[in-house]
Every structure is written in structure tokens, then in C-alpha cells.
Amino acid sequence: MIIESSVINEQNKIIKIARNHKIQTAIESISYDENGNFLLMFHNGYCLTSNIAKENEYEELDDSCLKLFALKIHKNNRPNNYSLMSPQQIKGWLYLRMGLSLQILDKCVHYLTNRYVGSQEMIKIQVIKDAIARFITDFTSIELDLSVNEISIHEISNLHERLTLANKHLLKLCGAHGYIDDGIIATFYVSRLIENIYGGDNLC
Amino acid sequence: MLSSDLFALENTMGEIANDFRDIALEIDKNSNSIYNHLDLDGINILANLLIPEKYNDNPLVLNGKKFYGVTVLERVIALEKLSYGDVGVVLASPGPSLSGQVILDMGNEIQQEYYFNRFNRQKTWTFFALTEPNRGSDASNIESYLVRQSHDLILNGEKKFIGNGKRAQVGLVFTRTNKGPLGIRSVLIDPKNKGFYAEKLETLGLKGAELSHLIFKDVHIDSTNVLGEHLSPTRRGLWGAIQTFNKMRPGVAALALGVAQATMDYIVEQKKVFNAIDNHNLSKLKEELLSVRNMVRYAACEVDQDATKGYIASMAKVKSIELVEKITEYAVYILGPNSLIEHPLLNKWYRDARAFEFMEGTTNIQNVNISQSYLAGRMNHV
């Protein structure tokens, strides 16, 4: 079964935004409903957003790492706070994470190009190329599985997990540079947090 | 099997570590709040760990035995337990830390006296500056340089990702005086010197360590602060420094191991009910923990006997990092949806665990060391 082109277009659009813009912008891009209304996407009581929640029932949680990305987590303190996301929204978070993975790849390549160990450019070192190749292979496999099958919620959960594993191939490539400010490890952390809220077991 | 003295050390550190756990999240949120907790027993012990008997007025005394933390085995036992409490507090604490080992190995008597005696007077933070922005921790390609201008030595260059760089009262800088491995030297530096600039870096985790960016602009260094003048040219250069690094590496592995054990115990405490698959996975991870601890302690014993045997220390670091990353990842999955939000300690350990990779040489550098040691015929067991 082949997925409709409109779905693929939506997927590519979100991936592209997440790859090339701040995470905040990417989250905003999937936070509107079909009528153009901004949504706080609560799931199992929590919401990751760039917006300030106006309702008193929502508690803003303290996460200094998210401040780097101008993001917040809100907790919904109302009883029965379980909210069901639409299939589009569920997939939207996965596409967003895929874009973040490509952003991590781009940052690694940028960092390693024109950087030398002795006389050798780092991007050309075999272990670096090996790590990049492993990421690209895992990423492509996820992309292919998304394109040819009508995937179930359980499968989306697995794809989130596979994406986390794919990201790990890249995590060590920027050394300590990746651990400071909004470097690749902070991006990885936000991506992992998204999986923790909107993917994984939360979907099953 | 540990001796009764070391067993007592392990137990005492385990008890003291509870204090560190109590302030873990506070230090994570604001590293400066360490100044409010300087009276904690664990911090007092760290403030005097690695100070030799000659200069140490306040050693840890257990069952009549004095511990100075000058052997690597003593340190890995203490550090693992304290890191179990909280690695952020360990790294935020005053004390000789990594630079103390270099002073022990490469400092002359006057330098040791200058450096170690200050710890008896007041709580002192130190830094150890090797890594550079353009060269990472590739010590052979250091770019910062020390030159003689008439009677003075002048230091220029940059160091990055230096723990406690901003708040230290004394530090150690690896720099270049000439081309080649013999041209690497280490110098003691007072951050109050003109031309010394330090800026704290924003990190994802290990906030207590206050990683910093240091810049040296025409910093005057007294020639008496250059280490290793009394040693042979080979011992004072990179070769000597590498042996010192070999002694530090098991300590980093022990820190990672402490976080891994803390996470493992947290899983058991929080999850409570386990299915057969969970039990199987946990059992495998527990075995792995014991195996890595065995390797870390073996590595410590090896470098205590022969500091050139750094390859075991490299293996220990590789294995402990692999383990802490695996266990923290597993914890997020097994504690389920929103675990990174609802378990702040787990969130902290998850972020902290990703930092060990960059301390005291990356996994790639350790792997190069291991394979080169094998190919050079330095491993008798393989």
C-alpha cells in the first residue's frame, strides 16, 4: 500500500521545518488544528509547548534545559486529564523528531568539516564516516517504513524508539562541544523528552 | 575482594553519600549553592582527598587507619560511592581533584608545598586544563604556548570544558613550549593573574562541575611554577602526563559507575512490580554492573602498581560509560511515559550520564589506546 502524496507532503514539510528551524518553531508548526486554532497538546497530563498556558489548571514545570529552546512543560492538574491526540498529531510528533535528527546530523557535519586531527580532516576519518553511515541507514529504514505501510499506533511507538537508537550514532561526534548550550546533545534530550511524552508507551 | 580497611571506606562513603543525594537537585538547579553546604562530611573528605600525608592535617580516619586518597584504588571506591549520592555535588566540591595527581607526579617539593598546603588553610577549588577549543583532548596537538620574554614566561591560548575553571583559586594548565611530545609542559597558575579570563559554560547536565572556557592573554608565569624541571626531559613532557592521565581515568569510570548503580537501585525502588522480561533485563544489567565494577577496581590496582598500564583504565572507562548510558536509557523506558518529567532524579542522571563520554578522553581515544597497546605487545593476556 502506498501512502497518499498529501500525507507525504505533510511529513516532508514538518521534517523540513524541524531540520532547519528552532525546535520552538517546529513545535508551533504542528500546534494548530484544521481551523487555525493554536492547541496546547496535552497528552497523559503533560504538554510541551512554546506558549504560556492561560488556564489556572495548568502548572508550568521547571526545566532549565528547555529554557535554552524557549520551551516549557505544562502539567494539566484537572482530573481525567487524558487527552486523545488525532492520528495526524501523533504522526506529527514523530516527523518533528525526524527533522530534529537531521538537524543533529547537519550540526555534526558542520562541526567536523574543516576540523583536523593532525593533518586529517575529521569528517573523513573512518570511524566518523561509520557513525554517520549507521545513522543514515537507520533513519532511511524508518522513513521507508513510514512510506509504504499504514502504520499502527504500536508501530509508531517502535519507530520513536528506533529513532532514539539512530540518534545515538551521532551523539559522540561533536565531543564536549555537543554538550554545551543548545548543542546536539541538548537537541537529543528534547527529542527524547518528546518521545517520553508523545511517543513510546504513551501511545500503546 | 576488598581488604577490611577498604571495605570500611566503602561503607562510610556509602553513608555519607546520602547527604549528597539530598542536595543533588538543588546543585543541579544552581551550582553556586554548593557554598551553602561546605560543612557536609563528604565535601570535607573530598576537600582533602589526594593530599599526601606530609601536607595533610585532616585525613579521613576509619578504625584507626588514615586514608589520604593517594592510591587510585582508594579513590575509585570513594568516588563511586559519593557519585552514587550525586556526581554533581562531587564535581562541585573543593579539593585537589585531577590537578592534585599531576602535582604529586610532576611537582617538585616546593611546588607540592605551595599547592597542597593551601588546602589546610581554606576550602580550595582547583582546575585541570588540558582540552582546547580546536583540538579537543588531543594532548599531542596542544596549541596554547608558553614563551620566554627576557626574564618572564608568558602564557597565551585557550582551554575549554574545564571543570571549576571559573571558581578555582589555583589551577594547572597543559601548554606547549616547543614542537613535539617533549614540548608539552604543565604550569601552575593563579587565576588572579592579569590576562586570565574565565567564563562559565551552559551545559545540559553535570551542572555542579561548572565547565568553563579559559582564555590566557599574556599571562605572566613564574618559572618556579613550571612543573617537571627536576625530571628527565621525557618524564616532564607528554609521556609523563599520559601516565598521570592513566591514574585519573579509573576515577572517571567510578563516577559513571556510581550514577549507573544509583539509577539501577532507583528502578527497583520505583517500579516495584516486574514482569518476566523486566526481571531478565534487570538481572543482566546487575551482572554487567558487577562486571564493570570488577574492571574499574582491577584497572585501579594495575595503575597503582604500574602507571604505564593505562589500557585497562581505558577499557574500564569505555565499559562504564556504555553501562551508564544503557541503564539510564533503560530506566526511562521501564519507568514509562513521562518518566523524565515525573522523576527529576532520573532526568538528572539521564543528562549527567551523557557527559562522562567527554571526561578524560572520549571512547574513540580510549579505543585507540587499547588497540595500540595490543599491537605494541603490551598485553600479555591476549
Side-chain angles (χ1 to χ4, degrees):
Chain A
M1 179 181 167
I2 302 298
I3 302 294
E4 286 177 30
S5 62
S6 63
V7 175
I8 293 172
N9 286 341
E10 180 65 11
Q11 174 183 330
N12 289 341
K13 188 180 124 194
I14 296 171
I15 290 175
K16 200 172 169 183
I17 291 172
R19 179 178 195 168
N20 298 312
H21 296 83
K22 291 180 174 174
I23 302 178
Q24 175 192 5
T25 309
I27 291 179
E28 283 167 7
S29 77
I30 61 166
S31 298
Y32 289 91
D33 66 12
E34 57 273 21
N35 300 317
N37 300 314
F38 190 87
L39 302 171
L40 285 171
M41 281 194 273
F42 279 97
H43 192 63
N44 277 354
Y46 295 97
C47 162
L48 180 66
T49 181
S50 59
N51 260 28
I52 297 165
K54 287 170 187 159
E55 295 183 48
N56 292 333
E57 290 89 348
Y58 302 150
E59 175 192 351
E60 187 179 323
L61 303 182
D62 190 22
D63 187 325
S64 59
C65 303
L66 291 179
K67 281 181 190 154
L68 283 171
F69 298 95
L71 295 174
K72 303 170 185 71
I73 293 175
H74 291 303
K75 185 179 180 187
N76 184 347
N77 287 321
R78 283 183 287 201
N80 304 318
N81 60 10
Y82 182 83
S83 57
L84 195 63
M85 290 190 294
S86 69
Q88 285 77 11
Q89 286 170 335
I90 289 171
K91 285 184 187 166
W93 283 105
L94 178 64
Y95 303 152
L96 190 148
R97 288 192 72 218
M98 290 168 73
L100 294 182
S101 298
L102 293 174
Q103 190 185 109
I104 291 171
L105 173 67
D106 292 342
K107 283 180 176 172
C108 288
V109 171
H110 178 75
Y111 179 77
L112 296 163
T113 304
N114 291 322
R115 189 177 169 86
Y116 291 82
V117 171
S119 59
Q120 194 169 21
E121 191 179 12
M122 287 185 80
I123 195 75
K124 292 175 183 159
I125 293 174
Q126 195 168 355
V127 289
I128 303 277
K129 289 197 276 193
D130 173 83
I132 290 174
R134 283 168 189 265
F135 166 79
I136 291 173
T137 304
D138 286 353
F139 184 88
T140 305
S141 152
I142 293 166
E143 214 171 26
L144 279 171
D145 290 347
L146 268 172
S147 68
V148 294
N149 298 313
E150 187 57 65
I151 52 173
S152 69
I153 294 293
H154 180 72
E155 284 164 329
I156 289 181
S157 166
N158 288 341
L159 290 176
H160 272 291
E161 195 170 335
R162 282 167 56 191
L163 197 57
T164 296
L165 289 173
N167 288 343
K168 286 186 179 171
H169 294 307
L170 301 176
L171 272 196
K172 301 185 176 183
L173 298 189
C174 294
H177 176 78
Y179 199 67
I180 58 169
D181 299 325
D182 56 351
I184 62 163
I185 303 177
T187 306
F188 168 81
Y189 167 75
V190 176
S191 176
R192 185 67 185 81
L193 190 61
I194 292 171
E195 181 191 356
N196 200 228
I197 302 173
Y198 297 106
D201 292 340
N202 253 346
L203 297 175
C204 302
Chain B
M1 189 73 180
L2 294 180
S3 67
S4 58
D5 289 340
L6 290 173
F7 193 63
L9 176 69
E10 185 180 40
N11 280 341
T12 304
M13 291 297 152
E15 288 163 20
I16 284 171
N18 292 328
D19 296 338
F20 282 17
R21 182 70 61 82
D22 291 342
I23 60 170
L25 294 174
E26 182 189 338
I27 299 294
D28 187 52
K29 200 171 176 182
N30 175 15
S31 55
N32 272 333
S33 68
I34 192 72
Y35 297 112
N36 301 329
H37 301 287
L38 295 181
D39 55 343
L40 289 182
D41 287 345
I43 291 181
N44 280 315
I45 289 168
L46 284 169
N48 292 290
L49 199 69
L50 228 166
I51 301 176
E53 185 174 2
K54 191 175 175 183
Y55 307 106
N56 196 336
D57 294 346
N58 303 298
L60 172 67
V61 183
L62 296 172
N63 302 333
K65 153 102 178 160
K66 291 178 180 172
F67 288 93
Y68 297 94
V70 290
T71 73
V72 182
L73 183 59
E74 282 177 10
R75 286 207 299 279
V76 297
I77 288 167
L79 288 175
E80 184 198 332
K81 283 294 173 186
L82 293 175
S83 176
Y84 178 87
D86 183 55
V87 66
V89 179
V90 172
L91 297 174
S93 295
S97 189
L98 296 177
S99 58
Q101 184 69 62
V102 185
I103 308 289
L104 266 181
D105 290 348
M106 301 177 80
N108 62 29
E109 203 167 327
I110 295 168
Q111 289 161 340
Q112 292 195 4
E113 200 176 307
Y114 163 80
Y115 179 84
F116 287 120
N117 272 342
R118 63 176 57 230
F119 297 96
N120 288 323
R121 296 193 295 270
Q122 61 171 0
K123 295 262 179 356
T124 304
W125 279 263
T126 60
F127 68 75
F128 167 89
L130 169 69
T131 305
E132 299 194 345
N134 297 322
R135 295 295 177 183
S137 45
D138 178 5
S140 59
N141 278 303
I142 284 174
E143 286 179 338
S144 63
Y145 58 95
L146 186 71
V147 290
R148 185 171 288 282
Q149 282 179 6
S150 63
H151 296 297
D152 292 331
L153 292 169
I154 308 293
L155 175 67
N156 276 285
E158 285 180 62
K159 297 286 175 181
K160 209 165 181 183
F161 318 118
I162 308 305
N164 291 319
K166 171 91 174 160
R167 61 178 160 209
Q169 291 99 340
V170 64
L172 196 89
V173 177
F174 280 85
T175 183
R176 179 171 290 290
T177 53
N178 271 307
K179 288 181 182 170
L182 297 181
I184 306 289
R185 302 300 296 276
S186 46
V187 296
L188 275 165
I189 190 166
D190 183 342
K192 285 188 194 136
N193 281 3
K194 195 177 167 196
F196 179 99
Y197 303 95
E199 178 196 14
K200 194 172 105 178
L201 298 169
E202 190 62 51
T203 55
L204 180 70
L206 279 194
K207 307 270 190 187
E210 287 206 348
L211 296 191
S212 304
H213 183 187
L214 308 182
I215 297 172
F216 318 117
K217 283 186 184 168
D218 294 330
V219 178
H220 285 243
I221 303 288
D222 195 301
S223 60
T224 59
N225 286 334
V226 180
L227 269 58
E229 292 287 294
H230 61 300
L231 302 173
S232 67
T234 50
R235 286 189 60 84
R236 70 172 77 126
L238 190 57
W239 187 83
I242 285 172
Q243 296 199 33
T244 299
F245 303 154
N246 290 344
K247 293 183 194 169
M248 298 167 177
R249 211 171 297 127
V252 177
L255 292 174
L257 190 58
V259 176
Q261 183 70 64
T263 310
M264 171 62 88
D265 291 353
Y266 190 79
I267 293 171
V268 175
E269 176 196 310
Q270 295 289 322
K271 176 80 176 168
K272 294 188 176 78
V273 181
F274 299 94
N275 63 29
I277 296 169
D278 295 338
N279 276 325
H280 175 71
N281 289 335
L282 278 173
S283 158
K284 281 206 302 188
L285 285 170
K286 279 178 188 168
E287 277 175 31
E288 215 173 311
L289 256 163
L290 292 174
S291 164
V292 173
R293 182 172 296 119
N294 190 25
M295 183 175 259
V296 170
R297 291 181 178 182
Y298 180 70
C301 292
E302 286 287 295
V303 287
D304 272 334
Q305 284 171 22
D306 178 357
T308 63
K309 284 193 169 175
Y311 55 86
I312 306 273
S314 290
M315 292 176 192
K317 192 189 171 225
V318 169
K319 294 301 286 180
S320 65
I321 285 170
E322 202 177 277
L323 178 67
V324 74
E325 292 181 357
K326 192 196 284 187
I327 287 187
T328 49
E329 190 66 60
Y330 180 68
V332 174
Y333 280 116
I334 199 170
L335 294 178
N338 308 320
S339 53
L340 281 171
I341 303 171
E342 292 173 347
H343 299 274
L345 278 171
L346 173 60
N347 181 302
K348 181 185 180 299
W349 291 328
Y350 190 86
R351 287 181 285 112
D352 289 347
R354 267 85 208 145
F356 295 115
E357 168 68 15
F358 317 114
M359 296 167 72
E360 191 36 53
T362 61
T363 296
N364 276 343
I365 288 176
Q366 307 304 340
N367 285 339
V368 167
N369 187 28
I370 295 163
S371 53
Q372 280 178 347
S373 295
Y374 169 69
L375 294 172
R378 287 197 286 271
M379 291 184 199
N380 298 326
H381 68 288
V382 187

